[in-house]
Amino acid sequence: MNAADAVFDAELVIFDCDGVLVDTEPLTNRLLAACVSEAGWAISTSDSIRMFKGHDLNEIVLEVERRVGRPLPDLLPTYRARMFEAFAREAIAPIEGAIELLDALDRSHASAARPRRCVASNGPMNKMHASLTSAGLIGRFHHAGEPRLYSAYEVGLWKPDPALFLHAARDMASAPASCIVIEDSTSGVVAARRAGMPVVALAGLTPAASLVEAGATLVIEHLRELLPTK
């Protein structure tokens, strides 16, 4: 199946946030690596991306505590404080091709099969708001006057559990099989497949081979591959 057809034939497109819509991963993983290193486990930004990208922060803290052998109650608050300071200080860029894809989805408005869209992220709601606002994308995900953003913190279960995607589909009144997910992490790919949803995986910080192994329906190198050719 053509990658663009897979998206534009769907009833609902569910976007991951970080790494799919907003280019936050290098920044947030640099900050996370610094916090983990200060706690006593020396890791690099690339280590953080490889080990932690797409995972629940609470599970990450537990792993760091296991590694250093002591509780770290300040690790998560410190990381989050630094992250929001950085979001306020540094403009977040959209992922290349994100604006073009959203524009193309808007242009399909005249079609009865026009996909609706939402965002579903492992991150907390205020992080999604902050990053999407900084990137100028928050208004692209409003439906009936409300932002259609879904956080794993709402359901208490994180990718690779499918609960977040199922919650988003249910709230948007779409059957799982009529949705398509756009993801960039192996945990997100696994969550989508467990939810019974096809998933387009954007390779980048996560190698394409890892996304294929996780079960991606299609793997792309750039969001522009999803643009209609006609």
Side-chain angles (χ1 to χ4, degrees):
M1 178 183 290
N2 177 275
D5 290 343
V7 170
F8 283 82
D9 288 345
E11 181 179 305
L12 175 66
V13 182
I14 304 178
F15 288 84
D16 178 46
C17 187
D18 301 295
V20 169
L21 291 169
V22 291
D23 192 16
T24 53
E25 295 284 10
L27 170 61
T28 56
N29 279 282
R30 173 169 55 83
L31 296 174
L32 182 57
C35 291
V36 171
S37 296
E38 290 166 12
W41 179 15
I43 65 169
S44 66
T45 300
S46 59
D47 290 331
S48 178
I49 291 169
R50 175 174 52 83
M51 293 185 293
F52 301 145
K53 183 174 178 292
H55 291 268
D56 171 18
L57 277 172
N58 296 297
E59 292 183 357
I60 292 170
V61 170
L62 290 175
E63 175 61 16
V64 179
E65 289 176 337
R66 187 185 70 79
R67 292 275 188 150
V68 303
R70 70 178 191 281
L72 297 168
D74 295 331
L75 176 60
L76 194 50
T78 299
Y79 164 69
R80 282 181 170 154
R82 292 180 183 180
M83 179 186 67
F84 283 111
E85 287 171 4
F87 283 0
R89 184 177 64 250
E90 305 177 30
I92 303 300
I95 292 291
E96 287 189 13
I99 292 175
E100 291 95 324
L101 178 56
L102 294 172
D103 286 345
L105 289 168
D106 284 343
R107 286 194 297 271
S108 69
H109 180 74
S111 169
R114 178 207 177 196
R116 293 171 296 129
R117 57 184 183 258
C118 66
V119 184
S121 171
N122 263 359
M125 192 69 74
N126 56 351
K127 179 187 176 187
M128 273 193 287
H129 271 280
S131 61
L132 290 168
T133 298
S134 180
L137 299 180
I138 189 71
R140 308 301 296 268
F141 291 92
H142 279 69
H143 178 73
E146 295 293 331
R148 288 300 188 242
L149 310 180
Y150 300 96
S151 166
Y153 286 80
E154 295 178 297
V155 295
L157 292 166
W158 285 259
K159 305 169 192 176
D161 192 284
L164 173 61
F165 289 141
L166 293 171
H167 167 63
R170 185 166 51 249
D171 192 66
M172 297 287 289
S174 292
S178 69
C179 303
I180 192 163
V181 174
I182 304 179
E183 264 287 352
D184 72 321
S185 70
T186 56
S187 62
V189 169
V190 172
R193 297 316 304 262
R194 288 177 177 174
M197 301 176 183
V199 53
V200 173
L202 176 62
L205 296 178
T206 302
S210 297
L211 296 166
V212 170
E213 185 178 357
T217 310
L218 296 167
V219 176
I220 59 173
E221 301 290 337
H222 198 287
L223 288 178
R224 293 195 182 101
E225 295 175 47
L226 300 179
L227 296 177
T229 55
K230 295 181 180 180

